[in-house]
Amino acid sequence: MSDLGTAGSGAVLRLLLDGRPRTRAELIDLSGLARSTVTGRIEALVAAGLVVPSGEAASTGGRPPARFRFNPSARLILAADVGATHLSVALTDLTGTIIDRSTTALNIAEGPEVVLGAVVRTGRALLRRARRSVSDLAGTGVGLPGPVEHSTGRPNHPPIMPGWDSYDVVGRLSGELAGPVLVDNDVNIMALGEHATEYADVEHLLFVKVATGIGAGVISGGRLHRGAQGAAGDIGHIQAPGHTERCRCGNRGCLEAVASAAAIAGRLGVAGSADIVDLVRSGDTAATAAVRQAGREIGTVLAACVSLLNPSVIVVGGSLSQAGDSLLAGIREAIYARSLPLATTSLRVLPTTTPDAALQGAATLVLQHQLTTS
């Protein structure tokens, strides 16, 4: 089965996702559904292996009622984080817990056939190691380092992905992998993963990735917001005040052209993020000052986001976030200087604490889709 149970079972399954065993009576009370409906859906979920018996509750007279719990290993999810120069693929259970993973160097510029072929091969290898088959997949989630049209999963004029524009990623992977294929940009995926793993109780969160490019994932009302076409959060192409540097998108003064790792590396005369991080950690004053100033530029743009969206948490990730406190200090400095006190009274600006946010977010994308449609 490619979905999580039969149609309509998602409401009952969602009540069991916390791992706590429940009786039919408890599920009826919590769901508000009729007894016959809950009984039928439990039977369907048990038949699919997604729910298993879990002992008996205390009797209040007569036969003790049976309890049921979620079985997260009934299906597996394939999660893929496609970066500019790397490919990470993981196999997770239905809670997003990583069972096995593989990361290899792979250039996105090699094109979709090469990269997606590697996703399939790696996924199949992970399944073999887990002694599972492709038919055990509940679906596949993929994060790409560029704009993605959410309704189709097709990249849309991605600046660092030659040959990928409008490519049918979903069709390519669906032909070889079971279950639905969900595709989104990498920052949205990371926002989902960070939120699900560390901030599930936070209703309003921004995840900001600072790496070769700059982008943001927007969680509002506890849900990821993509906008009309999936372009929400593209802060890297907001103009940084007072700047006219040429951006790879063709415009001038974009935040990405001013404060990204690529922009800083160009000014320092080094190759990329790793070199910048090494310089900052070694105490290089020029690199530290450059990263701090990049934080100020990013913070100036984020101050407008704070006024518009009023998040309670801003999480900063991406390769440049590994440079320590310099980037965060600059971001905080600008945000608190330019935002109204009401918007910043409880605002926290924090580094990411989820190293596998992209992979866990890709898994979360699949799980949320399945629970919404089942």
Side-chain angles (χ1 to χ4, degrees), residues 110-362:
E110 292 191 44
E113 284 299 323
V114 171
V115 173
L116 297 178
V119 171
V120 172
R121 288 193 303 275
T122 305
R124 288 179 176 272
L126 293 176
L127 284 166
R128 285 194 299 271
R129 289 210 305 238
R131 298 184 179 180
R132 303 290 287 266
S133 68
V134 171
S135 63
D136 288 321
L137 289 177
T140 299
V142 181
L144 296 176
V148 174
E149 185 179 50
H150 176 62
S151 60
T152 64
R154 293 174 183 258
N156 189 287
H157 296 92
I160 63 167
M161 299 169 63
W164 286 80
D165 186 34
S166 296
Y167 187 86
D168 187 8
V169 177
V170 174
R172 171 68 176 83
L173 295 179
S174 295
E176 299 191 62
L177 300 170
V181 175
L182 288 305
V183 185
D184 210 331
N185 72 69
D186 55 354
V187 187
N188 281 346
I189 292 290
M190 294 173 80
L192 273 176
E194 189 81 31
H195 184 253
T197 305
E198 297 293 335
Y199 299 99
D201 59 338
V202 173
E203 289 283 301
H204 306 283
L205 176 147
L206 285 179
F207 184 94
V208 181
K209 179 185 178 185
V210 187
T212 304
I214 299 174
V218 182
I219 303 288
S220 182
R223 299 177 59 188
L224 177 66
H225 282 252
R226 299 181 175 89
Q229 273 76 44
D234 193 6
I235 64 170
H237 298 287
I238 295 175
Q239 185 172 20
H243 287 276
T244 59
E245 292 91 331
R246 173 74 69 179
C247 181
R248 60 185 177 179
C249 74
N251 289 326
R252 289 187 176 274
C254 292
L255 181 64
E256 189 171 294
V258 174
S260 67
I264 298 170
R267 290 196 291 272
L268 295 176
V270 297
S273 298
D275 293 332
I276 298 170
V277 170
D278 288 344
L279 286 172
V280 171
R281 288 178 175 174
S282 68
D284 186 279
T285 56
T288 301
V291 171
R292 176 78 177 241
Q293 182 57 33
R296 295 189 186 101
E297 302 289 358
I298 295 167
T300 299
V301 169
L302 286 177
C305 299
V306 168
S307 296
L308 181 66
L309 300 170
N310 191 201
S312 55
V313 178
I314 296 176
V315 181
V316 181
S319 56
L320 201 60
S321 69
Q322 299 171 23
D325 293 336
S326 299
L327 183 70
L328 278 175
I331 291 174
R332 290 182 181 125
E333 177 185 332
I335 288 176
Y336 289 112
R338 302 183 65 91
S339 300
L340 290 174
L342 180 61
T344 57
T345 299
S346 302
L347 176 65
R348 293 176 288 163
V349 182
L350 304 167
T352 180
T353 56
T354 311
D356 292 318
L359 293 173
Q360 290 172 327

Side-chain angles (χ1 to χ4, degrees), residues 96-119:
T97 300
I98 294 175
I99 298 168
D100 198 358
R101 60 177 296 168
S102 172
T103 298
T104 56
L106 185 62
N107 196 319
I108 192 75
E110 292 191 44
E113 284 299 323
V114 171
V115 173
L116 297 178
V119 171

Side-chain angles (χ1 to χ4, degrees), residues 2-17:
S2 61
D3 60 352
L4 300 186
T6 58
S9 297
V12 173
L13 185 59
R14 277 192 290 274
L15 295 173
L16 295 169
L17 290 180

Side-chain angles (χ1 to χ4, degrees), residues 72-94:
S73 62
R75 298 286 185 278
L76 300 175
I77 295 174
L78 192 65
D81 170 30
V82 181
T85 58
H86 79 275
L87 170 65
S88 292
V89 181
L91 205 58
T92 82
D93 67 14
L94 293 176

